[in-house]
Amino acid sequence: MRLENLESLLRANAYPGRGIVLGRSADNQYAVAAYFIMGRSENSRNRIFLPTEDGIRTQAHDPSRMTDPSLIIYHPVRRFGQELVVTNGDQTDTIVDFLQRGLPFDQALQTRCFEPDAPNYTPRISGLLSSDGSYKLSILKSAGGDPGCCCRHFFTYDAPLAGQGHFIHTYQGDGNPLPSFTGEPVTVALTAPDADTLSQALWAALNPDNRISLFVRYVSLRDGSWTDRIVNRYQN
């Protein structure tokens, strides 16, 4: 199985949109989660990540410049018990609500669809990282740009291998309309020993004109403790 270089993939794509990486560190000691956002419009770029009690949320860097909060203000990361939910929209809250009721990740996403932002119909990407390091990824997208059909794809990784992860993002690249991600999540090498190293590498690899915010978490598989790193284009 070929392992792709995550930083090389990001450098080669000026606009992957929003992306999720879940996996396991090379020393087999940590579960790894990363999430980034990019933006082309002034409204989309006017954002930062802020920590919350159970994860992170997006917020306007300059509230006076925020023209439309729909689809861009949400909780990308929330912790429920020993599980971590990571998504690119308000489906984070849908998933956590279902988990609180004892219902599965997949069932929660059966109630959601791609974003109503014609003509892009941005896919909803979601991940669930469990305490044992196993994880799930999902993408909900239109059928080749036709909003008449929602295509729902789910991927489960029961026994992740050390030094490997999976990367899913919203767009194949820049365009008008933006082309949706296709295929399975990409298998990538995770060689960074800690959250600092990975966050620095990913931020450097993201297109400097379009990168907005980045979140990285390393979770100890031994005791469940974690280390977070947040990088924002605009710092408050």
Side-chain angles (χ1 to χ4, degrees):
M1 178 177 57
R2 178 180 176 181
L3 289 180
E4 298 288 348
N5 182 286
L6 181 55
E7 295 96 279
S8 295
L9 291 175
L10 293 176
R11 289 192 186 95
N13 188 346
Y15 202 67
R18 287 164 274 175
I20 297 172
V21 180
L22 297 179
R24 186 168 292 198
S25 63
D27 62 7
N28 210 27
Q29 299 300 304
Y30 299 94
V32 178
Y35 177 67
F36 66 80
I37 60 173
M38 308 184 82
R40 299 188 303 179
S41 68
E42 180 181 2
N43 192 50
S44 183
R45 289 178 173 181
N46 180 33
R47 290 184 290 170
I48 58 174
F49 284 168
L50 286 179
T52 64
E53 184 177 350
D54 65 350
I56 61 171
R57 63 183 172 90
T58 60
Q59 176 178 291
H61 168 66
D62 181 353
S64 68
R65 292 169 46 214
M66 178 63 66
T67 58
D68 180 7
S70 65
L71 301 180
I72 63 172
I73 300 299
Y74 55 93
H75 292 84
V77 177
R78 290 187 62 188
R79 186 170 180 263
F80 173 71
Q82 298 302 309
E83 297 183 302
L84 193 71
V85 179
V86 185
T87 90
N88 72 326
D90 63 9
Q91 72 267 28
T92 309
D93 298 333
T94 303
I95 295 168
V96 170
D97 176 64
F98 270 64
L99 294 177
Q100 289 172 339
R101 291 187 281 148
L103 300 172
F105 170 84
D106 307 47
Q107 188 173 338
L109 291 169
Q110 294 293 337
T111 70
R112 303 304 304 267
C113 199
F114 47 81
E115 295 183 352
D117 61 339
N120 297 316
Y121 302 112
T122 298
R124 290 190 186 272
I125 55 173
S126 308
L128 180 69
L129 179 63
S130 297
S131 59
D132 62 358
S134 63
Y135 54 90
K136 297 180 179 182
L137 287 167
S138 169
I139 183 168
L140 313 179
K141 60 182 183 176
S142 66
D146 186 337
C149 176
C150 180
C151 305
R152 305 173 190 276
H153 303 276
F154 298 90
F155 307 91
T156 300
Y157 304 92
D158 288 333
L161 301 177
Q164 294 187 19
H166 290 88
F167 173 41
I168 194 167
H169 49 97
T170 52
Y171 309 126
Q172 287 295 101
D174 209 345
N176 191 19
L178 289 159
S180 292
F181 178 88
T182 61
E184 295 185 11
V186 181
T187 306
V188 295
L190 289 177
T191 59
D194 51 44
D196 279 325
T197 305
L198 183 60
S199 61
Q200 291 167 13
L202 295 185
W203 188 252
L206 289 167
N207 182 277
D209 293 329
N210 297 321
R211 66 189 181 190
I212 304 300
S213 295
L214 168 69
F215 168 87
V216 172
R217 173 172 289 188
Y218 270 51
V219 183
S220 170
L221 294 170
R222 178 178 57 84
D223 62 15
S225 61
W226 66 84
T227 301
D228 288 351
R229 291 295 179 264
I230 294 175
V231 185
N232 288 310
R233 177 173 180 161
Y234 306 112
Q235 298 287 350
N236 272 0

